[in-house]
């Protein structure tokens, strides 16, 4: 049973798991064992209360949805206020400047870009398209399961390969597992919930070898937390005509989780195919789009968010490590680490202190996934964590 958080449905996933399954050490290899669930039950506790917002309203620190605690840039705010004057209009010609910015930065043509309200719509479209008529979706687990869950509902089968021992996608194993029935290879980089990344050179080599045979979907929701020099710039593969799909979102470093903006980069025919399943650009408001243009240009704000995130993440990692916890090295705005108590009890006690986090169970090992907030918020998390674990 899957437990990953859907980007649009994070409120429905409180992180309050009913129970852990013991304290055996999780190993990535165990994630592919077909006889046991990948993850234990992930209970939607908010949905079963009379007032689903009651718990959320009591939170002092919201560290459960990988949101940007610094918010949107001032330039984006100004753009929203200005665009509100034309809020009675649909976005139309304004997509041109947005796509031009992206295409210049990523090395693709504007026709290789499809805008959407967040990247969730892109995942939904790909799930429905590639699940059509059955077939197999190849991936590694644990990972972000939104697309995967939807493909199974549409009739596809998931073929999970375990992560490597250092919690990364196993590219050689994925390549070896490709069979005639595989219709899509799904890779999340940086990965969620582990926060790990792949070598740009290795990922590029993988795509060059695999994409001519099977489409490769790269979910890059957290790519902006890598410095520009460290990112795998694979738009050039799209420009070369390879069959890869890159999904991006403004929900993370740009702080647009509530504004909803994202995009896909792929071959024009693939984008036309995906567009058949979703409203995509027709669902993007003009106020959001104008804010997105301003935010994309505001490189200084992105650098600031990236720097502050790294400081708070490093502080939290060091504090947890000093307490004897093994933290998986993260390159994102969240941290995953194993805990020594059952997830239900841990979640309840953290929420009781007003600290919202998420938990996971991977083959019997309870984990906490905490989003990176401000330094003050992470200090509150560490203080609360110490009170809970003793």
């Amino acid at each position: 049973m899957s437990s990953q958080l859907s980007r649009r449905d994070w409120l429905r996933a409180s992180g309050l798991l009913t129970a852990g399954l013991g304290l055996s050490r999780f190993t990535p290899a165990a994630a592919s064992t077909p006889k046991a669930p990948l993850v234990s039950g992930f209970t939607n506790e908010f949905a079963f209360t009379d007032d689903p917002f009651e718990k959320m309203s009591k939170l002092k620190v919201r560290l459960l949805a990988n949101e940007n605690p610094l918010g949107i840039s001032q330039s984006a705010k100004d753009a929203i206020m200005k665009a509100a004057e034309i809020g009675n209009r649909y976005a139309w010609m304004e997509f041109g400047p947005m796509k031009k910015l992206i295409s210049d930065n990523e090395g693709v043509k504007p026709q290789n870009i499809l805008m959407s309200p967040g990247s969730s719509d892109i995942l939904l479209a790909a799930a429905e398209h590639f699940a059509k008529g059955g077939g197999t979706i190849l991936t590694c687990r644990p990972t972000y399961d939104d697309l995967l869950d939807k493909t199974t509902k549409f009739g596809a089968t998931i073929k999970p390969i375990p992560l490597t021992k250092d919690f990364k996608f196993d590219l050689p194993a994925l390549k070896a597992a490709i069979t005639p029935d595989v219709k899509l290879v799904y890779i999340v980089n940086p990965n969620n919930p582990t926060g790990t990344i792949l070598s740009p050179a290795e990922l590029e080599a993988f795509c060059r070898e695999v994409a001519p045979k099977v489409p490769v979907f790269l979910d890059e929701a957290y790519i902006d937390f890598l410095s520009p020099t460290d990112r795998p710039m694979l738009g050039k593969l799209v420009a070369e005509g390879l069959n890869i799909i890159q999904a991006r979102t403004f929900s993370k470093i740009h702080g647009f989780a509530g504004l909803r903006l994202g995009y896909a980069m792929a071959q024009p025919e693939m984008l036309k195919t995906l567009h058949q399943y979703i409203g995509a650009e027709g669902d993007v408001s003009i106020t959001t789009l104008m804010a997105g243009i301003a935010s994309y240009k505001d490189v200084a704000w992105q650098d600031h968010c990236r720097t502050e995130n790294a400081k708070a993440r490093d502080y939290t990692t060091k504090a947890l490590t000093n307490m004897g916890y093994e933290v998986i090295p993260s390159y994102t705005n969240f941290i995953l680490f194993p805990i020594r108590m059952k997830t239900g009890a841990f979640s309840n006690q953290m929420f009781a202190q007003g600290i919202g986090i998420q938990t996971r169970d991977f083959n019997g090992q309870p984990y906490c996934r905490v989003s990176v907030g401000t330094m003050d918020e992470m200090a509150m998390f560490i203080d609360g964590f110490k009170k809970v674990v003793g």
Side-chain angles (χ1 to χ4, degrees):
M1 178 178 178
S2 168
S3 75
Q4 305 304 320
L5 184 65
S6 169
R7 292 189 184 106
R8 273 191 169 178
D9 299 333
W10 64 267
L11 183 58
R12 298 183 305 182
S14 68
L16 302 179
L17 301 185
T18 53
L21 298 180
L23 299 176
S24 61
R25 185 73 173 94
F26 166 70
T27 58
S32 65
T33 305
K35 295 182 180 179
L38 293 170
V39 185
S40 69
F42 192 63
T43 304
N44 173 9
E45 189 155 321
F46 284 149
F48 300 105
T49 60
D50 292 335
D51 181 1
F53 301 101
E54 181 180 358
K55 285 189 175 64
M56 291 300 298
S57 66
K58 295 180 180 179
L59 288 182
K60 300 175 183 177
V61 185
R62 194 157 92 170
L63 305 175
L64 46 70
N66 300 343
E67 299 158 323
N68 184 340
L70 303 179
I72 66 175
S73 68
Q74 185 59 51
S75 60
K77 294 177 185 177
D78 294 341
I80 289 175
M81 295 302 295
K82 185 176 181 179
E85 298 176 3
I86 52 173
N88 59 314
R89 304 296 185 184
Y90 294 109
W92 190 257
M93 295 178 292
E94 294 78 11
F95 285 110
M98 181 81 262
K99 291 183 179 182
K100 182 66 164 56
L101 287 171
I102 297 171
S103 63
D104 288 347
N105 191 49
E106 299 293 337
V108 298
K109 295 180 180 179
Q111 54 263 41
N112 293 121
I113 301 168
L114 176 67
M115 305 302 300
S116 66
S119 60
S120 296
D121 283 25
I122 302 298
L123 300 180
L124 171 61
E128 188 167 358
H129 173 67
F130 288 103
K132 185 181 294 184
T136 299
I137 310 300
L138 180 62
T139 191
C140 285
R141 273 180 163 169
T143 192
Y144 186 70
D145 278 344
D146 192 20
L147 179 147
L148 303 175
D149 286 347
K150 288 181 172 65
T151 57
T152 58
K153 292 176 182 177
F154 290 131
T157 299
I158 305 303
K159 186 176 183 180
I161 302 297
L163 297 176
T164 62
K165 291 183 180 180
D166 52 355
F167 300 93
K168 299 178 181 180
F169 266 68
D170 193 333
L171 297 181
L174 284 174
K175 188 165 55 178
I178 295 175
T179 52
D181 63 321
V182 172
K183 298 174 70 174
L184 181 72
V185 179
Y186 178 65
I187 296 175
V188 183
N189 184 56
N191 190 32
N192 179 11
T194 63
T196 51
I197 57 172
L198 293 166
S199 157
E202 291 177 2
L203 182 56
E204 179 180 339
F206 175 88
C207 290
R208 288 190 179 279
E209 182 173 350
V210 173
K213 309 169 188 175
V214 182
V216 178
F217 192 114
L218 301 175
D219 188 339
E220 299 178 321
Y222 298 92
I223 202 75
D224 294 315
F225 288 102
L226 300 177
S227 66
T229 56
D230 294 333
R231 296 173 199 164
M233 300 296 288
L234 300 183
K236 60 185 177 184
L237 302 185
V238 173
E240 292 173 18
L242 286 178
N243 197 5
I244 68 171
I245 305 167
Q246 294 174 265
R248 303 277 183 84
T249 182
F250 279 61
S251 295
K252 305 309 174 185
I253 207 163
H254 292 278
F256 278 38
L259 290 171
R260 309 305 302 149
L261 186 64
Y263 61 96
M265 294 184 291
Q267 299 309 315
E269 286 304 312
M270 175 59 70
L271 296 180
K272 289 179 183 178
T273 297
L274 297 179
H275 202 181
Q276 296 178 55
Y277 301 95
I278 53 175
E281 294 181 354
D283 291 338
V284 177
S285 74
I286 193 167
T287 49
T288 290
L289 185 57
M290 297 308 292
I293 292 173
S295 187
Y296 200 89
K297 292 179 178 178
D298 198 338
V299 176
W301 179 254
Q302 295 170 46
D303 289 342
H304 172 68
C305 291
R306 190 180 303 113
T307 298
E308 292 304 306
N309 176 78
K311 289 179 182 178
R313 183 182 63 206
D314 292 346
Y315 158 78
T316 308
T317 299
K318 182 177 180 180
L320 291 169
T321 301
N322 289 341
M323 295 171 64
Y325 286 85
E326 301 175 42
V327 179
I328 299 173
S330 173
Y331 296 84
T332 63
N333 65 336
F334 57 85
I335 298 168
L336 184 72
F337 64 98
I339 54 177
R340 300 163 191 163
M341 59 189 297
K342 292 184 176 181
T343 50
F346 175 76
S347 296
N348 287 332
Q349 291 181 49
M350 291 296 286
F351 267 74
Q353 297 183 73
I355 303 172
I357 47 84
Q358 280 198 40
T359 50
R360 303 283 197 274
D361 268 292
F362 298 124
N363 294 278
Q365 172 60 59
Y367 279 76
C368 170
R369 196 202 72 178
V370 58
S371 301
V372 177
T374 64
M375 287 293 287
D376 288 343
E377 288 172 334
M378 300 320 293
M380 291 177 65
F381 165 75
I382 291 298
D383 182 61
F385 182 78
K386 290 178 178 178
K387 292 176 181 177
V388 170
V389 301

